[in-house]
Amino acid sequence: QEQLVESGGGLVQPGGSLRLSCAASGIISSINAMGWYRQAPGRVRELVVIITSGGTTNTADSVKGRFTISRDNAKNTVYLQMNSLSPEDTAVYYCYAQTKAFVNYWGKGTLVTVSS
């Protein structure tokens, strides 16, 4: 069964760091892009960062220089290193994967709360 399983969310103080992980299963042979979206309370879901199997990235301006995505193709896992977190980064973070046939998959989400 195809699924994306996220881990690593939690509570962090402003200026702190967190690392999210997302492991894909069931769609191993056909993944092209993987990455992260987020949805803050009362707001629409937005792109955070995406990375293709070739290593090309697309990063939201709001997180450039603070968030870094990496991908382990052998483990079908993508990581999001988040530094210099601010309360504006508080959101549910969703893992995303798109297959070579342009089928989209979503994780259940992991909550990141930035607060003192």
Side-chain angles (χ1 to χ4, degrees):
Q1 182 177 358
E2 302 90 351
Q3 62 177 350
L4 301 174
V5 179
E6 303 115 330
S7 61
L11 173 65
V12 63
Q13 292 185 342
S17 299
L18 277 178
R19 188 189 194 213
L20 305 182
S21 300
C22 173
S25 62
I27 52 175
I28 294 175
S29 63
S30 62
I31 293 176
N32 180 22
M34 290 187 74
W36 299 89
Y37 283 71
R38 68 185 181 185
Q39 187 166 15
R43 302 187 66 176
V44 298
R45 191 173 298 188
E46 63 178 4
L47 170 72
V48 178
V49 59
I50 290 289
I51 185 168
T52 68
S53 57
T56 301
T57 59
N58 182 16
T59 307
D61 289 342
S62 59
V63 305
K64 282 182 179 178
R66 301 187 299 121
F67 291 13
T68 302
I69 192 170
S70 59
R71 180 171 174 174
D72 186 334
N73 289 330
K75 295 182 179 180
N76 296 294
T77 300
V78 65
Y79 306 95
L80 182 64
Q81 178 65 43
M82 304 185 293
N83 299 326
S84 302
L85 285 160
S86 72
E88 289 70 33
D89 296 313
T90 295
V92 177
Y93 284 71
Y94 294 92
C95 182
Y96 165 84
Q98 186 182 75
T99 70
K100 296 175 182 177
F102 303 104
V103 177
N104 298 322
Y105 292 88
W106 295 93
K108 294 181 178 180
T110 184
L111 178 63
V112 173
T113 303
V114 185
S115 176
S116 56

